[in-house]
């Protein structure tokens, strides 16, 4: 059974810093990996989707990388802003739809003004 | 275009009651999935439906059931509610069963 772990559980940094969030998974036979953002009490906003054949995806100040062989993904946020404060979740999909997405517990990020 | 819409946004029920949650997917999306998120945890997969057929089921008791309608909207039903069913219930839609998932704002269910 797939297990997804996110480190750190919480992170607080000053505005303007570049930062990296980590995601690891136990079963490397994934179909894709997705990063989401969640604001308190709200739904999930999809940030980036990386297919298993891809190494990275970029959207604005966000860059996500995937290393299937080592079971790791990172989300890089450049020039952080207070509006980036949220919980960031990664999730893997093993394909076939039978098990849906497997999520980590998330990294709670606070950007200090 | 409208995103994934869920109703109601908040709900309070008493133990033992039954509840129905509703989800409308993004136009053109044929797959709908349901997730349960308790405080401090990542979402847990409950069901996936694609083209009106159940494609996957997570590790939830038979009190949980769902269906998808011809217009691809979906309902999640929970019978005999327990206090532990209190959670944020999230619906996601996608073009296919393994494509990028887009989530609604969720339904906050409180069981008292």
């Amino acid at each position: 059974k797939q297990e997804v772990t996110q480190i750190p559980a919480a992170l607080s940094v000053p505005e303007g810093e570049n930062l990296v969030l980590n995601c690891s998974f136990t079963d490397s036979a994934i179909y894709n990996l997705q990063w989401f953002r969640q604001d308190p009490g709200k739904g999930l906003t999809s940030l980036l989707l990386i297919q298993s054949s891809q190494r990275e995806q970029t959207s604005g100040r966000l860059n996500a990388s995937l290393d299937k062989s080592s079971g790791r993904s990172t989300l890089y946020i450049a020039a952080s802003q207070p509006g980036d404060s949220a919980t960031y979740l990664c999730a893997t999909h093993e394909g076939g739809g039978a098990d849906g997405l497997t999520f980590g517990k998330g990294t709670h990020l606070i950007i200090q003004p | 275009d409208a995103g994934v819409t869920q109703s109601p946004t908040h709900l309070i029920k008493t133990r033992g009651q039954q509840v129905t949650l509703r989800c409308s997917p993004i136009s053109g999306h044929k797959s709908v999935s349901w997730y349960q998120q308790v405080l401090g945890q990542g979402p847990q997969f409950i069901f996936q439906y694609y083209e009106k057929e159940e494609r996957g089921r997570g590790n939830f008791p038979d009190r949980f059931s769902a269906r998808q309608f011809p217009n691809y909207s979906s309902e999640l039903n929970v019978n005999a509610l327990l206090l532990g069913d209190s959670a944020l219930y999230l619906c996601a839609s996608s073009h296919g069963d393994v494509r990028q998932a887009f989530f609604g704002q969720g339904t906050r269910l409180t069981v008292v």
Side-chain angles (χ1 to χ4, degrees):
Chain A
K1 180 187 173 190
Q2 179 76 284
E3 293 184 5
V4 178
T5 303
Q6 292 188 245
I7 295 174
L11 183 63
S12 180
V13 300
E15 180 179 4
E17 285 201 3
N18 303 323
L19 54 99
V20 174
L21 308 182
N22 296 293
C23 172
S24 62
F25 45 95
T26 55
D27 186 350
S28 62
I30 63 170
Y31 190 85
N32 58 44
L33 183 145
Q34 203 165 349
W35 282 92
F36 296 90
R37 166 189 173 134
Q38 186 173 33
D39 293 292
K42 303 295 185 180
L44 277 62
T45 300
S46 178
L47 298 174
L48 290 164
L49 171 73
I50 310 177
Q51 301 291 352
S52 61
S53 58
Q54 297 175 321
R55 297 283 293 182
E56 64 179 306
Q57 282 286 336
T58 298
S59 176
R61 294 182 294 108
L62 305 179
N63 176 275
S65 67
L66 175 64
D67 184 343
K68 272 187 57 177
S69 61
S70 66
R72 295 185 180 187
S73 177
T74 62
L75 179 67
Y76 176 83
I77 303 177
S80 58
Q81 304 170 358
D84 295 330
S85 298
T87 296
Y88 290 80
L89 294 150
C90 72
T92 62
H93 203 308
E94 281 67 59
D99 296 315
L101 291 166
T102 303
F103 283 85
K105 292 184 178 181
T107 294
H108 181 55
L109 176 64
I110 297 175
I111 308 298
Q112 306 156 8
Chain B
D1 285 341
V4 179
T5 58
Q6 292 186 243
S7 63
T9 55
H10 296 83
L11 203 52
I12 299 175
K13 289 287 189 178
T14 303
R15 278 180 299 174
Q17 286 188 316
Q18 175 264 343
V19 68
T20 297
L21 311 181
R22 295 176 175 83
C23 173
S24 293
I26 292 172
S27 178
H29 286 190
K30 299 180 179 180
S31 176
V32 170
S33 299
W34 288 93
Y35 293 81
Q36 180 196 65
Q37 186 179 28
V38 298
L39 199 62
Q41 301 294 315
Q44 296 291 313
F45 173 68
I46 309 175
F47 285 111
Q48 183 184 43
Y49 279 78
Y50 180 67
E51 286 280 18
K52 301 178 287 294
E53 291 188 0
E54 182 183 304
R55 285 295 188 92
R57 174 185 288 251
N59 188 25
F60 280 81
D62 291 343
R63 299 185 296 107
F64 289 76
S65 63
R67 55 180 175 168
Q68 187 176 31
F69 298 99
N71 66 354
Y72 302 109
S73 67
S74 178
E75 288 183 350
L76 175 70
N77 296 284
V78 187
N79 294 322
L81 285 166
L82 303 174
L83 295 179
D85 295 330
S86 295
L88 181 67
Y89 287 85
L90 295 163
C91 173
S93 77
S94 61
H95 274 291
D97 58 355
V98 291
R99 301 289 185 91
Q100 187 170 8
F102 296 89
F103 282 77
Q105 289 300 294
T107 294
R108 172 68 65 186
L109 173 65
T110 302
V111 182
V112 298

